[in-house]
Amino acid sequence: MSKPADTSEKEKNMTEQATQAAQPGYGRTIMDAVNFDRRAFLKIAGFSAAAVFGGCAKSLAGGGKPRQPNIVLIMSDDMGYSDSGCYGGEIDTPNLDKLAGNGLRFTQFYNTARCCPTRASLMSGLYQHQAGIGHMTGDYGHEGYRGDLSNRCVTIAEVLKLSGYSTYMAGKWHVTPNVRAGTSKHNWPCQRGFDRFFGTIHGAGSFFDPNSLTLDNELIPPWKDFYYTDAISDYASRFIQEHEGGHPFFMYVAFTAAHWPMHAREKDIAKYKGKYAKGWDSLRKERYARMKKLGLIDPAWEITPRDEGVPAWEEEPLPEWQQRRMEVYAAMVDSMDQGIGRIVKSLEEKGELENTLVFYLQDNGGCAEEYGSNGPVKPDPAEPVVLKPMADNELQLKMQPDVTRDGRPVRTGKGVMPGPADTYIAYGKGWANASNTPFRLYKHWVHEGGISTPLVVHWPAGIQAKGELRGQPGHLIDIMATSVDVAGATYPSEHKGHTIISMQGRSLRPAFEGKAIDRPEGLFWEHEGNRAVRKGDWKLVSRYPGGWELYNLRENRTEMNDLSTKFPEIARELEGMYNSWAERSFVVPWGELNKKAQPQKTTAARPEMRR
């Protein structure tokens, strides 16, 4: 299928060639992700930038003045801390591994524990409540919970445009409830600072037929042989290839891999056939061992027990189905990594890789939601199937389609083998528990399993260290501050007639050089009543509706030894810090918020999950 008739010839060509991008050749054989240690990783991946990237002509402007770097911000969706190869996983991620080998890996970086709050915080440099998305995209009638990106914040794209950057985005937006034709576009990407956009406005959907698929400001249907991860990668590559002029660019690449549904191309799934036959218990042990060997975790930190809601693998009644779920999940991550390879190759071919600051991170921890994977198979397989194909130009309006583009009913239920377009299920709690090795809990919660993310940073022209780890704690709010810093940009106090809330983060640039990040005010979290504050090595955390727990993360980052009764004065100090932050950041206690007002209906393609 081609793009709408009113697009430019160049855009038509982009679409027609979208699935014919150059094959990923960037670092396909960097490491055996199943069996490597830190020394081997550095030996294989940490060779000099000069050998890979050549000269530095592109990093200098006229007169020898260093040019502002390009900034490429890549984020994946619903992945756990230990999934990628360079963070201890067995999934084949050679392109991420190579970026890490020639850059830095942060071991204590954090997100907000959920999809759209993370995106609001990442784009704005504020805590999500300050940006108007304290929960999801429902409107609760409070400033911090409007469910629509606030006009009191600016996006990274809006800030960098003021400093001469071109701005591009490919992927998932998810910071507004207005996702359908005829609704307001005031908070769509092109209205929030981006020159070009390809992706989805909504937060979830089929990888073969996503709802709210958009090119710039127009909703479009998918084309023949469409797969969303490939389309995101290919559009990001093309935005790089078509960038013109001597000025820098900012690009935000927001993959939906590996959010449910578990959808992947069969060729990628086949690569992992049988890979997970030993089950999640074995996988957690293997990842834990690799993470210790890589220096990512302290060997003194005890791995958390298997989730009490997950059976021992030997007692799992449907092992073949469970294996298939994880095989598809791994294939989704693998496909994303291939796409990252194409993006990096485009930077190389453009001569821009050396002076491009690349970030890679994840929006929350592994997802334990059993979406579509409980209960009987639906529709009833005993019922006759009548094909109801969609028209070529028909827009998908549902997060979970009723039928595929060619008319087959989309199936859910326990035992449905995921992967193809006519299925719609998650990968489940057992595998999410493994994804978050060695930490506690998942997406939604603010224990370490819900908020810990890899952060890979690659910038040959600006970072001398190669293949090193950085243990300084950091947060999504720091990406705006870092971008403003390296770009020499000015963060505005007013924008389009609105007073703008001050940046909340700190630049990571000192950490690039191995220095400390001064953050006396601490870091904070709140989502659905789950609360946390971290100052130095101390973290106070609560799982709603329970009480506070206190941990020394230097000694026990897996949060297995609650010290709240042993150090009550520290707990009281941190609780006071949290309460002060919550008051100034528009946080409303979860119980009070739900008692006073339920979110108003929005124009989203489906009601947001309240789990």
Side-chain angles (χ1 to χ4, degrees):
M1 179 182 297
S2 61
K3 287 286 173 59
D6 60 349
T7 56
S8 68
E9 192 63 35
K10 181 183 289 186
E11 289 167 352
K12 289 181 181 178
N13 291 337
M14 286 172 66
T15 298
E16 291 168 358
Q17 299 170 11
T19 57
Q20 300 175 13
Q23 292 299 308
Y26 183 75
R28 287 298 300 171
T29 59
I30 180 174
M31 67 165 64
D32 175 5
V34 177
N35 184 22
F36 64 92
D37 58 26
R38 190 178 183 189
R39 179 175 295 179
F41 176 73
L42 295 176
K43 181 177 180 181
I44 297 172
F47 43 80
S48 71
V52 183
F53 306 117
C56 60
K58 288 291 183 179
S59 67
L60 299 177
K65 181 181 178 182
R67 199 200 78 177
Q68 299 157 292
N70 307 310
I71 301 172
V72 175
L73 174 57
I74 303 172
M75 185 162 69
S76 68
D77 201 343
D78 281 13
M79 283 178 59
Y81 186 78
S82 67
D83 279 331
S84 56
C86 53
Y87 278 80
E90 74 296 327
I91 301 173
D92 193 18
T93 56
N95 298 294
L96 270 179
D97 299 343
K98 190 164 188 178
L99 289 173
N102 286 289
L104 303 173
R105 283 168 294 162
F106 282 69
T107 60
Q108 298 190 76
F109 204 77
Y110 292 110
N111 50 48
T112 73
R114 193 77 178 274
C115 294
C116 52
T118 278
R119 290 157 213 282
S121 181
L122 178 64
M123 281 291 97
S124 68
L126 309 179
Y127 287 102
Q128 66 268 30
H129 311 79
Q130 297 170 313
I133 303 188
H135 183 225
M136 299 291 277
T137 55
D139 187 351
Y140 288 83
H142 293 267
E143 182 169 0
Y145 299 84
R146 304 312 305 230
D148 209 0
L149 198 63
S150 173
N151 57 23
R152 296 189 61 193
C153 72
V154 284
T155 67
I156 297 175
E158 288 173 318
V159 174
L160 295 185
K161 275 179 75 80
L162 299 174
S163 290
Y165 276 68
S166 292
T167 53
Y168 311 113
M169 180 183 171
K172 172 176 167 177
W173 183 233
H174 203 199
V175 290
T176 180
N178 301 308
V179 304
R180 288 190 176 179
T183 59
S184 174
K185 299 178 181 179
H186 70 282
N187 263 336
W188 283 26
C190 290
Q191 281 64 249
R192 294 308 303 250
F194 288 95
D195 297 323
R196 297 298 313 278
F197 169 67
F198 167 81
T200 45
I201 306 299
H202 190 235
S206 168
F207 282 70
F208 299 102
D209 187 17
N211 72 94
S212 75
L213 188 64
T214 301
L215 179 63
D216 295 327
N217 266 331
E218 299 301 322
L219 294 169
I220 61 171
W223 49 90
K224 185 178 180 180
D225 197 33
F226 181 92
Y227 182 65
Y228 192 26
T229 301
D230 288 346
I232 291 170
S233 304
D234 295 339
Y235 259 99
S237 296
R238 279 162 172 73
F239 289 155
I240 294 169
Q241 293 162 0
E242 296 185 350
H243 175 74
E244 297 178 351
H247 57 283
F249 62 85
F250 166 68
M251 185 164 66
Y252 174 35
V253 185
F255 288 102
T256 52
H259 195 293
W260 47 255
M262 297 296 100
H263 279 169
R265 295 190 187 277
E266 195 57 43
K267 66 179 179 62
D268 292 323
I269 301 171
K271 182 176 179 179
Y272 294 92
K273 180 66 174 175
K275 186 82 169 180
Y276 299 101
K278 292 189 291 183
W280 40 62
D281 294 325
S282 177
L283 185 64
R284 293 182 76 228
K285 292 176 183 177
E286 292 168 1
R287 288 189 177 189
Y288 180 59
R290 281 195 297 269
M291 295 172 82
K292 290 189 291 185
K293 192 173 289 188
L294 285 167
L296 294 165
I297 59 175
D298 190 325
W301 298 343
E302 183 183 0
I303 189 172
T304 54
R306 182 196 327 110
D307 189 292
E308 61 184 14
V310 176
W313 182 252
E314 296 77 22
E315 300 171 6
E316 166 56 44
L318 296 173
E320 291 184 4
W321 177 60
Q322 294 286 11
Q323 287 180 56
R324 174 71 177 194
R325 295 168 88 186
M326 189 61 192
E327 289 166 4
V328 179
Y329 179 91
M332 295 169 73
V333 176
D334 190 309
S335 176
M336 178 191 70
D337 185 79
Q338 294 174 43
I340 291 172
R342 296 199 292 276
I343 293 168
V344 172
K345 184 175 182 181
S346 294
L347 289 168
E348 269 189 313
E349 292 174 346
K350 196 83 171 179
E352 296 284 0
L353 183 57
E354 183 177 354
N355 198 33
T356 296
L357 171 57
V358 179
F359 295 103
Y360 168 80
L361 70 163
Q362 297 164 188
D363 68 341
N364 44 247
C367 177
E369 297 165 0
E370 292 284 358
Y371 191 95
S373 48
N374 279 328
V377 175
K378 296 180 180 179
D380 186 345
E383 295 292 326
V385 173
V386 178
L387 296 181
K388 300 177 181 178
M390 298 176 68
D392 286 352
N393 62 351
E394 186 176 350
L395 298 177
Q396 180 56 255
L397 300 179
K398 294 186 176 183
M399 181 201 75
Q400 179 184 321
D402 294 326
V403 298
T404 61
R405 300 299 298 189
D406 60 3
R408 290 168 292 143
V410 172
R411 298 168 292 135
T412 61
K414 182 168 287 190
V416 169
M417 291 294 188
D422 65 343
T423 66
Y424 207 102
I425 67 171
Y427 82 141
K429 183 179 286 188
W431 297 119
N433 196 190
S435 286
N436 293 339
T437 300
F439 301 130
R440 282 179 63 190
L441 295 176
Y442 313 95
K443 170 185 177 178
H444 293 265
W445 290 277
V446 297
H447 284 72
E448 295 292 286
I451 59 176
S452 297
T453 171
L455 177 68
V456 173
V457 182
H458 181 275
W459 183 21
I463 300 174
Q464 293 185 352
K466 308 296 175 190
E468 294 184 4
L469 302 177
R470 292 291 184 265
Q472 297 91 328
H475 188 284
L476 298 169
I477 55 177
D478 298 333
I479 301 298
M480 169 71 87
T482 307
S483 299
V484 168
D485 183 6
V486 302
T490 300
Y491 184 88
S493 59
E494 186 176 302
H495 186 66
K496 295 183 178 179
H498 301 286
T499 300
I500 301 302
I501 299 172
S502 300
M503 277 191 299
Q504 302 294 293
R506 295 286 185 271
S507 176
L508 298 173
R509 205 165 188 177
F512 294 170
E513 301 170 4
K515 300 175 183 177
I517 299 172
D518 185 31
R519 202 191 306 267
E521 72 279 12
L523 291 169
F524 304 90
W525 294 265
E526 190 283 331
H527 184 66
E528 298 181 332
N530 303 302
R531 303 168 291 162
V533 51
R534 175 172 180 172
K535 183 179 181 182
D537 293 331
W538 291 99
K539 179 183 176 185
L540 191 71
V541 59
S542 171
R543 178 181 182 179
Y544 185 81
W548 289 110
E549 305 162 12
L550 179 68
Y551 300 99
N552 184 309
L553 297 187
R554 180 180 293 274
E555 298 175 356
N556 177 223
R557 196 176 167 203
T558 53
E559 298 170 312
M560 299 282 285
N561 183 23
D562 180 8
L563 300 173
S564 58
T565 57
K566 186 175 182 179
F567 298 104
E569 69 285 355
I570 295 176
R572 284 194 296 270
E573 178 189 354
L574 292 176
E575 183 178 12
M577 289 175 60
Y578 174 85
N579 290 337
S580 296
W581 167 79
E583 183 175 355
R584 68 176 181 266
S585 301
F586 317 130
V587 177
V588 178
W590 186 240
E592 180 183 336
L593 186 72
N594 282 279
K595 189 181 301 181
K596 287 185 175 181
Q598 290 296 316
Q600 300 170 15
K601 290 184 178 180
T602 73
T603 52
R606 52 113 184 187
E608 289 296 347
M609 292 184 62
R610 297 288 309 285
R611 292 179 55 185

